[in-house]
């Protein structure tokens, strides 16, 4: 460790140079200099890291929902394989997040309301030229028609 860096006061603060601040804070922590660390901002950043994984689960669930809705309501044939592949990819990424943050698996249902709303909006935009599909999506838009288990199940696709 480079002690002169860890122990010298930095002119860069949390709000002025995040990279420099984060490097200094890491060195202070490694040196055991808890008296010099920026506790409040470190705590805020750690919380932000956890919330980032939670947002990623919701965002990826939304993409799965988008494609499941397209598979369920669209009459288009060509993009169906792409929708299935995309849903599978998102499901695998969600699983990786759960492996890194197992407590999120227990909270996965918490992501459904937000993910459902985003997924419906994405499906509406993607199917904007399919009037019949949009009408069907509008009928089910308020309440999820897929369970979290179905959304995360690599084998589940509407119509199979």
């Amino acid at each position: 460790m480079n002690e002169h860096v860890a122990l010298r006061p930095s002119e860069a603060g949390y709000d002025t140079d995040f990279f420099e601040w984060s490097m200094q804070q890491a060195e202070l922590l490694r040196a055991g200099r808890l008296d010099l660390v920026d506790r409040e901002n470190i705590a805020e950043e750690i919380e932000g890291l956890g919330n980032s994984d939670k947002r990623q689960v919701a965002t990826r669930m939304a993409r799965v929902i988008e494609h499941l809705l397209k598979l369920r309501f669209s009459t288009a044939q060509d993009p169906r394989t792409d929708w299935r592949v995309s849903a599978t990819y998102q499901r695998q990424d969600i699983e990786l997040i759960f492996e890194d943050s197992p407590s999120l698996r227990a909270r996965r249902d918490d992501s459904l309301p937000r993910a459902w709303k985003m997924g419906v909006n994405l499906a509406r935009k993607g199917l904007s030229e399919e009037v019949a599909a949009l009408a069907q999506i509008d009928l089910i838009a308020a309440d999820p028609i897929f369970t979290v288990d179905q959304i995360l199940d690599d084998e589940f696709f509407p119509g199979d």
Side-chain angles (χ1 to χ4, degrees), residues 34 51 53 63 69 74 77 100 136 144 149:
L34 301 180
N51 286 330
D53 278 354
R63 281 296 188 185
L69 289 171
S74 176
Q77 293 304 310
D100 289 342
Q136 290 177 327
D149 287 336

Side-chain angles (χ1 to χ4, degrees), residues 1-71:
M1 183 194 70
N2 192 349
E3 281 192 45
H4 76 279
V5 174
L7 301 179
R8 70 173 164 79
S10 173
E11 294 179 22
Y14 177 79
D15 294 325
T16 58
D17 186 338
F18 181 77
F19 176 78
E20 177 67 23
W21 171 86
S22 65
M23 295 298 105
Q24 180 189 37
Q25 296 306 305
E27 289 195 37
L28 288 169
L29 288 169
R30 286 186 185 102
R33 296 303 311 265
L34 301 180
D35 57 318
L36 297 176
V37 299
D38 182 353
R39 289 181 185 158
E40 188 57 37
N41 284 320
I42 290 173
E44 192 173 308
E45 287 302 317
I46 291 171
E47 286 173 347
L49 291 171
N51 286 330
S52 176
D53 278 354
K54 188 176 175 184
R55 276 190 306 278
Q56 279 294 315
V57 169
T59 300
R60 293 182 185 285
M61 281 178 64
R63 281 296 188 185
V64 174
I65 291 165
E66 170 196 8
H67 296 306
L68 295 180
L69 289 171
K70 287 178 176 180
L71 288 165

Side-chain angles (χ1 to χ4, degrees), residues 110-130:
D110 297 348
S111 297
L112 184 58
R114 184 178 187 188
W116 181 257
K117 183 178 178 180
M118 290 188 301
V120 166
N121 288 334
L122 290 167
R124 279 185 177 135
K125 289 182 188 329
L127 298 174
S128 63
E129 295 181 14
E130 291 192 48

Side-chain angles (χ1 to χ4, degrees), residues 74-93:
S74 176
T75 58
Q77 293 304 310
D78 287 340
R80 298 182 91 70
T81 299
D82 290 341
W83 295 337
R84 291 171 71 99
V85 168
S86 179
T88 299
Y89 177 78
Q90 297 301 328
R91 287 167 166 163
Q92 290 172 352
D93 277 356

